[in-house]
Amino acid sequence: MNQLQGATVKLALSGDSIVLRGAQKGNNPPPERTLGLAYIQAPHLGNAKKNMADEPLSLESREFLRRRIAGKVVKFVVRYKTPSGREYGSVYIGPNLIEDDMSIKLVHEGRAKVTDQARNKLNRSDVNPDEADLIDRLLDAEQSARESKRGIWDPSPQPSRPRLTAFDDDASTFLAKHKGRELRATVEQVRDASTMRVMLHLPNAHQMITLMLAGVKAPMVRTNVPGQADIVEPFGEEARFNVEIRMLQQDVKVRLEGMPQGNAANGSFVGTVIHSAGNIAEWLVSSSFAKVADWSAVYLEGGAAHLRQLERAAKANRMRIWKGFTGQTSQAPSKTFEATVIRIVSGDTVVVYDEARDADREFQLSSIRQPRMSDPDQAGYTEKARESLRRLCIGKPVTVTIDFHKPAHENFRARDCATIKCKGTDLGAHLVKNGLAGVLRY
């Protein structure tokens, strides 16, 4: 048998193929290699780009493998290579090279079958004794699965839930149905540290979506996209790698909060990932891998005050994306105070009475844009936005958190921008959720 090696499983591509990671050197992502499991074949997952559907039980086979090895340290051995250079071998999830052989477990549970190549190899005179012994064990495991009618050998299996890459209606309808709920999910791909492909496990289907983490933006990583130039911003690959080792192919819960404007057709959402290890958005900001994104922070139910506090601490440490930070910024330290709303100026601006200062103070709601009077399609909503704010908070106590100061620019006067909450309801988020305001991207 070839040399036994160690690695970490990055992900399970299918029920019989995985990606392995080697040891990390410095801050660079470690080397990777794809390994097919020798002498077995699982049902094939489909390919949406090639219009190929999933074979029956293909996702169940992949999930059986993923749940047992994704993110785990394993031992493996390469047994043979194809002329194209693809490697096939055995993977062990423990010290026992028989009981901990992942291929035998898959075959025994009916998640894969022994290949014809393996059967034919047994009849060859030059077969290696170790290989012959492995194939015999695989055949014994397959016979057990056949006799017990497990997995692919079940003559009447339960129908598989389909894996969907598009929506039955559209993304907006999907959001309206699931918004604010905690949905079981698996992180399938990390595009950059704040953007992921996620598979939602719904009662009747597995739905693929693109999820942008609410309230944060990590450095961009875009490579090998047809028709687009490669972009890898500083610390982008390091940030992505650190998210991958924590989240990739792990079971999480996802809460959908909203949808970027103009993305109703392509399945992109803004939301929160809930994981037993903690809040990944907060970790990214505190570790200087991401900054607060005002445009998506408006979707956060509890507001972005905590993220801003973490960002200020990260800036003070001057690491990674803040390494060259000089401390010159238009943002003032966040200040929170209680007040009473005394006037609604427009659909994004209010006046409050600050009792502590005995003064009236005007604030623009952070990160939102009211409907434009100059746009015929939006003009009718201008007064609706103003009236919605009046009904919600006029004459009522509110909590004001000053987020930043917007200096005067051309014909626009200087403004203080704030997150304002009335009985726990974020005014900006209230307008956005009711279709009465847009979200600004800074």
Side-chain angles (χ1 to χ4, degrees):
M1 186 171 70
N2 292 332
Q3 182 181 3
L4 199 64
Q5 304 176 64
T8 299
V9 178
K10 176 182 177 180
L11 75 161
L13 294 171
S14 64
D16 57 15
S17 182
I18 63 176
V19 176
L20 296 168
R21 273 196 173 122
Q24 184 180 13
K25 296 181 180 179
N27 293 326
N28 297 319
E32 299 177 358
R33 65 199 297 177
T34 299
L35 184 72
L37 298 182
Y39 305 129
I40 71 170
Q41 179 180 317
H44 292 135
L45 286 167
N47 187 320
K49 293 181 179 180
K50 297 180 180 180
N51 199 28
M52 296 171 55
D54 291 343
E55 291 184 356
L57 302 180
S58 57
L59 185 59
E60 286 83 349
S61 293
R62 199 292 300 263
E63 288 293 271
F64 181 90
L65 182 60
R66 176 190 70 82
R67 291 191 180 105
R68 287 159 178 79
I69 68 171
K72 303 287 181 63
V73 176
V74 298
K75 297 293 185 181
F76 73 98
V77 61
V78 176
R79 295 188 178 275
Y80 58 88
K81 296 182 181 180
T82 64
S84 63
R86 183 170 184 184
E87 298 177 321
Y88 290 82
S90 298
V91 175
Y92 308 98
I93 57 174
N96 191 308
L97 299 189
I98 296 178
E99 295 178 359
D100 296 322
D101 187 326
M102 202 62 234
S103 296
I104 292 177
K105 290 180 181 294
L106 283 158
V107 173
H108 184 268
E109 295 304 318
R111 301 303 180 186
K113 63 181 181 180
V114 182
T115 63
D116 291 338
Q117 173 200 13
R119 300 175 196 276
N120 295 335
K121 193 166 188 174
L122 275 182
N123 298 322
R124 290 170 46 181
S125 59
D126 61 345
V127 63
N128 182 291
D130 287 336
E131 300 296 294
D133 184 55
L134 170 61
I135 295 171
D136 280 334
R137 293 199 303 272
L138 288 169
L139 290 171
D140 288 343
E142 182 179 276
Q143 185 62 31
S144 174
R146 286 175 180 267
E147 292 175 353
S148 299
K149 298 181 173 59
R150 292 191 290 268
I152 60 177
W153 309 113
D154 185 346
S156 303
Q158 291 292 322
S160 299
R161 284 179 288 170
R163 185 169 59 108
L164 305 177
T165 56
F167 298 93
D168 290 337
D169 297 309
D170 59 35
S172 298
T173 302
F174 184 86
L175 176 63
K177 181 178 180 180
H178 298 289
K179 186 175 182 179
R181 296 169 50 199
E182 290 189 4
L183 306 173
R184 293 192 309 109
T186 304
V187 176
E188 293 291 321
Q189 179 192 8
V190 180
R191 291 186 175 178
D192 59 48
S194 56
T195 309
M196 309 171 185
R197 285 288 284 172
V198 173
M199 181 163 60
L200 303 176
H201 304 299
L202 305 176
N204 299 316
H206 303 282
Q207 180 68 57
M208 297 295 299
I209 67 168
T210 297
L211 185 73
M212 306 166 74
L213 293 178
V216 303
K217 180 68 176 72
M220 180 182 290
V221 179
R222 186 181 70 197
T223 58
N224 302 319
V225 177
Q228 297 190 49
D230 288 354
I231 298 177
V232 180
E233 294 179 341
F235 301 101
E237 291 186 326
E238 185 183 352
R240 181 176 65 178
F241 169 70
N242 275 277
V243 172
E244 284 182 343
I245 62 176
R246 289 164 171 81
M247 309 291 290
L248 185 60
Q249 285 207 333
Q250 299 302 303
D251 291 323
V252 299
K253 289 186 178 180
V254 166
R255 186 169 58 244
L256 302 181
E257 314 282 8
M259 183 184 299
Q261 292 180 333
N263 281 270
N266 67 8
S268 294
F269 299 88
V270 176
T272 301
V273 175
I274 305 161
H275 186 264
S276 58
N279 186 314
I280 191 65
E282 293 178 358
W283 181 86
L284 284 168
V285 174
S286 64
S287 300
S288 300
F289 281 127
K291 59 182 65 176
V292 175
D294 290 314
W295 77 266
S296 64
V298 71
Y299 293 106
L300 292 169
E301 288 288 347
H306 182 53
L307 286 176
R308 296 185 196 283
Q309 182 180 7
L310 294 173
E311 185 182 62
R312 285 194 294 275
K315 288 178 178 178
N317 290 332
R318 288 173 169 75
M319 294 177 58
R320 300 189 177 102
I321 65 172
W322 302 116
K323 187 173 182 180
F325 180 64
T326 61
Q328 300 299 318
T329 174
S330 62
Q331 282 193 318
S334 178
K335 183 176 180 181
T336 300
F337 63 93
E338 304 301 315
T340 302
V341 177
I342 60 173
R343 184 158 63 96
I344 308 298
V345 178
S346 66
D348 66 357
T349 303
V350 301
V351 176
V352 302
Y353 173 66
D354 182 353
E355 186 175 359
R357 291 192 177 189
D358 190 23
D360 296 347
R361 305 176 68 182
E362 183 180 288
F363 293 99
Q364 183 176 31
L365 299 177
S366 295
S367 306
I368 71 164
R369 177 193 288 120
Q370 67 171 326
R372 296 175 178 175
M373 287 292 293
S374 59
D375 187 335
D377 294 330
Q378 298 183 22
Y381 293 98
T382 303
E383 186 57 32
K384 288 183 179 181
R386 184 175 179 275
E387 178 63 14
S388 181
L389 287 180
R390 188 191 68 79
R391 287 172 178 252
L392 178 64
C393 65
I394 192 69
K396 296 179 181 179
V398 293
T399 301
V400 180
T401 300
I402 302 173
D403 294 320
F404 56 93
H405 177 75
K406 187 187 296 184
H409 178 67
E410 296 180 348
N411 295 326
F412 297 95
R413 60 188 175 87
R415 308 289 292 274
D416 287 325
C417 298
T419 299
I420 302 178
K421 294 183 180 180
C422 181
K423 294 183 178 179
T425 299
D426 185 312
L427 303 191
H430 165 80
L431 292 171
V432 172
K433 289 175 183 177
N434 286 280
L436 298 173
V439 180
L440 291 172
R441 297 194 185 202
Y442 297 112

